[in-house]
Amino acid sequence: MSETLIDIVKVPDHPALSRWRAVAPHGSVVGVAGLRPAVVAGGDLLLLAAPAVKPGSAELSLSVAPGWRRRGIGSRLLATVREGAAGPCLVADVTDGSPGEAFCLRHGFRRIRSWRRELLGLGDVHGVWLREP
């Protein structure tokens, strides 16, 4: 299916957020994008980890359904988001080496910081927290 048949629609459901949907001709949502203010005060982890982010910046979230990727839908969503962004820059939190990182780098984003996140599996947490003496 051609990307030109996909409609990019603004979702006017929240005054503090900007959201868009990529809608296929049959009506299903095949991609979403959103902006939220990147808050400088209040312990926002993104800004603590990335001090180069300017006040007034917006955090980008963007996702395209796996079966619809590599068809230009993400690029169209991002272009629409950029038109609607009022701040000095967009910030995206992506996994190192992921397709999301490659997408962002192709579209002019630059890496400002990397960090490693450690996750415990449910079995590990259970064993630590619920161990009886």
Side-chain angles (χ1 to χ4, degrees):
M1 179 171 293
S2 171
E3 66 148 295
T4 57
L5 298 177
I6 303 295
D7 289 322
I8 306 298
V9 179
K10 177 116 170 107
V11 181
D13 62 349
H14 194 286
L17 304 175
S18 297
R19 298 186 329 149
W20 296 265
R21 291 183 182 145
V23 182
H26 58 279
S28 66
V29 175
V30 297
V32 293
L35 288 177
R36 71 177 182 96
V39 180
V40 176
D44 188 276
L45 292 175
L46 179 64
L47 292 176
L48 290 174
V53 174
K54 300 174 181 133
S57 298
E59 183 178 353
L60 168 71
S61 63
L62 191 148
S63 181
V64 176
W68 292 85
R69 293 179 184 159
R70 310 290 305 165
R71 299 181 191 201
I73 296 167
S75 296
R76 286 188 55 210
L77 280 166
L78 181 58
T80 302
V81 166
R82 282 184 165 157
E83 290 172 10
C89 67
L90 295 177
V91 178
D93 183 6
V94 296
T95 302
D96 188 34
S98 70
E101 179 190 37
F103 174 85
C104 287
L105 293 173
R106 267 194 320 274
H107 287 280
F109 285 77
R110 63 183 174 85
R111 181 180 294 122
I112 55 175
R113 171 97 27 130
S114 295
W115 65 86
R116 182 177 172 169
R117 297 178 185 165
E118 298 289 338
L119 298 176
L120 293 175
L122 183 57
D124 296 331
V125 172
H126 175 75
V128 172
W129 286 358
L130 301 178
R131 186 177 324 231
E132 295 187 23

